[in-house]
Amino acid sequence: MKRGRIPFLLTFLALPLVIFTTFVLSPFVQAFDLSTTDWSGLSPTFNRVGFQNYADILGLDGTPDQHFWHGLMNNAILLVTVPLLTIAIALFFATMLNLAGTRSGQIRGVWGAPFYRFLFFVPQVISVAALGILFGQVFQPRGLLNALLGLVGIEGRSWLADERTALICVIAVMVWMHVGFYMVYFSAAMASIPRELLEAASIDRASKLQTFFRVTLPLLWPAVQTALIYLAIFCLDGLAIIQVMTIGPGGPNGATEVMALSVYRSFKEEAWVGYASAQAVLVFILTSVLLALAMRITRREQVQL
């Protein structure tokens, strides 16, 4: 039986492995190969330069690539702030919609919870380009935000043109984009939590905060870990919303620069395909390492019901 099992499994895995190798692994290998050249993407010929592109990016032979390193710093800020804010707000709303109300002495969600889930999920059906244009207008000097601030006597500013506030605006939009989706995601996970556990905690006179951190959150931890991973991947990219929404894009003075934008600029605008490939390889390595660390740090024993 075991002898026939391996050929049987290989028969079904052969085609998926071929497709995965052709369309996933092969482009990675080709990108690394291009990163060792000076190809411009326009000429049929190129020269092998070894690891010179990597040396130029890291500054081993002189000054490092300021755009790339500035983008790395901004990506690090996004990586710390966006997942934490998004998950915290999404968990708060999911808890309010699913566990804040009582009916007939049992813990239930608040009245109208399905409507609120739909309302919060609306941003997910709007394209990133449309969101970027929308919030680009909201943060304009004559935009909606300054108009609302003017009603309470606060003087507005050019939010996206100010180095001190441009990245904050991007963070706010990124959080707004994802809160609805993860609120619905956590709501679905909360639906599997036995209400008897929550009611037992209430009978033991545990506060709402104690119930959340000692009962609800441990049972939701696999969902929270998944959310952290996907939000981290998004924060290490962030190209689309920044390219549409910010000045430059990436401005002012690199205040909203990210690594993906540096790769795009080298590839599309400056026609340094070899150099852009080296940047992309470094982004891939950095992303893989950070995700492996995140999965290691956030790993816990799953609570079995």
Side-chain angles (χ1 to χ4, degrees), residues 185-264:
Y185 177 56
F186 293 144
S187 294
M190 286 181 182
S192 64
I193 298 177
R195 293 300 185 265
E196 293 80 4
L197 294 177
L198 303 175
E199 292 166 3
S202 178
I203 293 173
D204 290 338
R205 297 188 178 183
S207 66
K208 295 289 186 181
L209 202 60
Q210 290 174 326
T211 302
F212 175 78
F213 282 104
R214 297 187 180 184
V215 179
T216 306
L217 187 58
L219 295 173
L220 289 179
W221 189 252
V224 173
Q225 185 186 41
T226 301
L228 279 171
I229 297 301
Y230 279 101
L231 285 169
I233 294 173
F234 173 79
C235 292
L236 289 170
D237 178 19
L239 171 64
I241 189 68
I242 289 176
Q243 189 173 27
V244 176
M245 177 180 162
T246 61
I247 297 172
N253 296 326
T256 56
E257 182 80 22
V258 290
M259 292 184 293
L261 186 59
S262 180
V263 175
Y264 174 83

Side-chain angles (χ1 to χ4, degrees), residues 37-48:
T37 71
D38 62 356
W39 189 39
S40 65
L42 304 175
S43 171
T45 60
F46 54 83
N47 299 313
R48 292 285 176 182

Side-chain angles (χ1 to χ4, degrees), residues 3-126:
R3 292 180 180 178
R5 185 179 180 182
I6 295 178
F8 177 78
L9 292 176
L10 290 178
T11 301
F12 285 93
L13 290 176
L15 182 59
L17 286 175
V18 170
I19 295 175
F20 181 79
T21 301
T22 303
F23 295 103
V24 178
L25 295 182
S26 176
F28 283 128
V29 175
Q30 293 179 42
F32 179 77
D33 181 62
L34 288 175
S35 71
T36 62
T37 71
D38 62 356
W39 189 39
S40 65
L42 304 175
S43 171
T45 60
F46 54 83
N47 299 313
R48 292 285 176 182
V49 296
F51 293 97
Q52 184 60 45
N53 290 327
Y54 295 96
D56 292 339
I57 297 171
L58 301 175
L60 301 179
D61 297 336
T63 305
D65 187 330
Q66 297 298 326
H67 289 291
F68 186 82
W69 285 100
H70 201 171
L72 175 60
M73 293 176 60
N74 288 334
N75 276 119
I77 295 173
L78 295 176
L79 189 63
V80 172
T81 56
V82 173
L84 294 180
L85 290 173
T86 301
I87 291 175
I89 296 173
L91 281 172
F92 173 77
F93 284 127
T95 303
M96 293 296 102
L97 293 180
N98 292 274
L99 305 177
T102 57
R103 296 179 189 175
S104 302
Q106 296 181 337
I107 296 177
R108 294 289 187 271
V110 297
W111 183 86
F115 171 74
Y116 291 120
R117 292 193 192 99
F118 167 77
L119 191 65
F120 276 93
F121 195 77
V122 167
Q124 298 303 311
V125 301
I126 305 176

